[in-house]
Amino acid sequence: MALLLGAVPAAAQDSVAVPLGPRYGTGRVWVRPLRETPAEMVQRLTGRSIKEMVDSALTAVVQADLDRRARALEEARRATDWTTTIGGQKVGLDQRWIHVGPLKVPTALLALIPLNIQANPQQVEQARKMQLMQDVIRVAGDRGTSLDEITRSARALRAEKERQRELQRNQRMPPPPLPPDTAEARP
């Protein structure tokens, strides 16, 4: 608790207590000024002006970038050269030709070969989901048609059964009595 309030412990009486936190400097550190400016020092040490130094630095940066690009192009050219020599014949694929022994075929013909390769997994997944949705819709449509047919068939079957039951009821019942005026006319 004593440390928090700024009191100095007995063991540290000879050292100075420094409170924590941001504050302004005491100004006890002084840097002597240089005898010459940085530009004058560069001129004296290299014999060149600042403008010449900036120009040479810029030239070095641009030349390094051009060299990097040239190396990248060369690596890209080498990366597409998959050829080897077998029995004195060049075999493989390079940037312009497909080498098969003495035969050279232009690589542009590869574009004409129909390959069923789908390299994008998201497109493959999307196509699969779309096909699944189409299948579900088709099956639901078939079910709807089947349900309508089943409903019509059930209604027709119920109507036929009802007609048969009515016929049987009518057959069990005696015929209705004849009216009195027709009873005399019967033999």
Side-chain angles (χ1 to χ4, degrees):
M1 188 76 166
L3 286 176
L4 293 176
L5 297 176
V8 179
Q13 287 293 330
D14 57 342
S15 65
V16 177
V18 179
L20 299 176
R23 63 190 185 115
Y24 291 108
T26 60
R28 287 186 271 177
V29 178
W30 180 260
V31 179
R32 275 187 270 143
L34 298 173
R35 283 183 245 152
E36 49 189 0
T37 65
E40 292 169 342
M41 286 175 34
V42 167
Q43 176 70 34
R44 186 176 49 82
L45 292 174
T46 62
R48 297 190 296 186
S49 69
I50 293 291
K51 185 178 179 183
E52 291 170 336
M53 291 292 288
V54 168
D55 184 51
S56 64
L58 186 61
T59 302
V61 168
V62 170
Q63 187 61 46
D65 185 56
L66 292 175
D67 292 343
R68 182 189 55 79
R69 289 180 186 209
R71 279 193 307 272
L73 285 173
E74 180 62 27
E75 288 174 6
R77 188 195 62 77
R78 270 191 262 129
T80 57
D81 187 17
W82 299 311
T83 59
T84 187
T85 304
I86 298 176
Q89 300 283 336
K90 195 171 187 180
V91 177
L93 179 75
D94 65 11
Q95 213 168 12
R96 295 184 57 210
W97 301 100
I98 301 170
H99 301 275
V100 184
L103 183 65
K104 284 181 8 177
V105 180
T107 54
L109 291 179
L110 283 177
L112 301 176
I113 298 174
L115 298 174
N116 190 13
I117 298 175
Q118 295 180 347
N120 189 343
Q122 290 177 342
Q123 286 179 344
V124 172
E125 182 64 21
Q126 186 179 12
R128 187 188 67 77
K129 286 181 179 179
M130 189 64 75
Q131 183 63 41
L132 182 63
M133 282 188 244
Q134 289 173 351
D135 292 344
V136 167
I137 290 170
R138 188 173 58 259
V139 167
D142 292 345
R143 283 183 185 159
T145 303
S146 298
L147 184 61
D148 291 343
E149 290 174 8
I150 290 171
T151 305
R152 272 182 286 188
S153 298
R155 285 182 184 148
L157 187 61
R158 283 188 198 119
E160 180 62 31
K161 283 283 195 183
E162 188 59 35
R163 278 194 297 275
Q164 288 177 2
R165 285 186 192 126
E166 185 152 347
L167 178 67
Q168 287 177 355
R169 268 187 259 137
N170 289 340
Q171 286 176 349
R172 283 188 231 138
M173 293 177 63
L178 290 175
D181 59 334
T182 57
E184 297 173 357
R186 246 199 229 179

